[in-house]
Amino acid sequence: AVSATDWATWDDTYWFVQNHNAAYREANLNLEALKSLKVNFLGIFDSAGQKIWGQLYDFKINQEMVLPELSGDRWPADHPLVWLPHVDSEARGLLVTAAGPLLMAAKPVLTSNREGPVRGSVVLGSFLDSAAIATQTQVNLTISILDDALLESAEVAAAVRELGNTGGIVIREGVDTDQVYRVLPDLFGKPAVLLRIDAPKA
């Protein structure tokens, strides 16, 4: 979200959304931009949902990607990542895709002085890497798409039903290890991802 703000609150972006000038495109919109932002997706949209520029890249396999959830030249005008009508609007959350969940953030395109009218949105996305998070936080973390998690076991299914949209946690106590579950919603408010931490009692 911080990086999206930096790009969206910038006179150069503000004018690019309106005039699509080649100088901005050549100087800023390339693979190096995604690398420096440490994201997999960068998209710039006008206020009608028209994609002016967008790229999705998988750095693990060094290949550009196409996903139906992020493709198309025009997104619905009421899509939460492009419907940012006010200067203080924002969107952030999970977007479940065929390649896994993405952490998404979007900010309205404004002048460098944070003035409108809003001209569109800058959207950034990064794949949710459970292994990297587990290493960083030093916990045994499992992240599952909810549809898949429901098939894992009766216990997992029961935890998901109990959690619903509450935003709380469920703890299943074991002899040596406890399982801690939490459900995260997607951008549209629907339960999307199941987190599970295996916490040794020691």
Side-chain angles (χ1 to χ4, degrees):
V2 173
S3 296
T5 299
D6 290 342
W7 275 65
T9 311
W10 185 20
D11 286 341
D12 289 7
T13 304
Y14 195 78
W15 291 112
F16 172 70
V17 171
Q18 299 175 73
N19 59 29
H20 305 186
N21 67 86
Y24 178 96
R25 187 189 303 268
E26 293 170 4
N28 301 291
L29 302 180
N30 47 52
L31 187 58
E32 291 304 314
L34 275 72
K35 287 182 179 179
S36 65
L37 290 166
K38 297 181 180 179
V39 298
N40 299 100
F41 177 75
L42 167 61
I44 299 178
F45 298 80
D46 65 20
S47 55
Q50 181 71 35
K51 184 191 294 181
I52 301 170
W53 191 88
Q55 185 173 25
L56 176 67
Y57 198 86
D58 187 337
F59 289 98
K60 290 183 177 180
I61 60 175
N62 292 318
Q63 183 175 322
E64 191 166 355
M65 301 178 67
V66 177
L67 290 174
E69 297 85 359
L70 295 173
S71 62
D73 294 331
R74 182 182 292 273
W75 291 12
D78 61 352
H79 193 289
L81 292 173
V82 297
W83 173 244
L84 304 172
H86 309 296
V87 295
D88 57 350
S89 296
E90 71 169 4
R92 61 174 74 189
L94 290 169
L95 180 67
V96 177
T97 74
L102 279 160
L103 293 169
M104 306 295 295
K107 291 286 187 170
V109 173
L110 307 170
T111 68
S112 297
N113 293 326
R114 297 187 58 83
E115 297 174 345
V118 174
R119 295 300 186 190
S121 66
V122 170
V123 181
L124 300 182
S126 181
F127 282 109
L128 188 58
D129 188 338
S130 58
I133 295 172
T135 300
Q136 182 180 2
T137 58
Q138 298 184 359
V139 298
N140 188 355
L141 172 68
T142 302
I143 299 176
S144 305
I145 303 299
L146 203 50
D147 288 345
D148 297 333
L150 285 171
L151 303 177
E152 185 179 326
S153 70
E155 183 178 345
V156 170
V160 169
R161 287 194 300 271
E162 186 174 341
L163 283 164
N165 283 324
T166 64
I169 63 172
V170 166
I171 300 174
R172 296 287 187 252
E173 294 190 9
V175 176
D176 299 312
T177 304
D178 294 339
Q179 283 76 45
V180 185
Y181 297 96
R182 183 176 181 184
V183 171
L184 298 182
D186 64 12
L187 283 162
F188 305 95
K190 298 178 180 179
V193 169
L194 178 70
L195 308 182
R196 189 188 81 192
I197 293 174
D198 295 327
K201 288 186 179 295

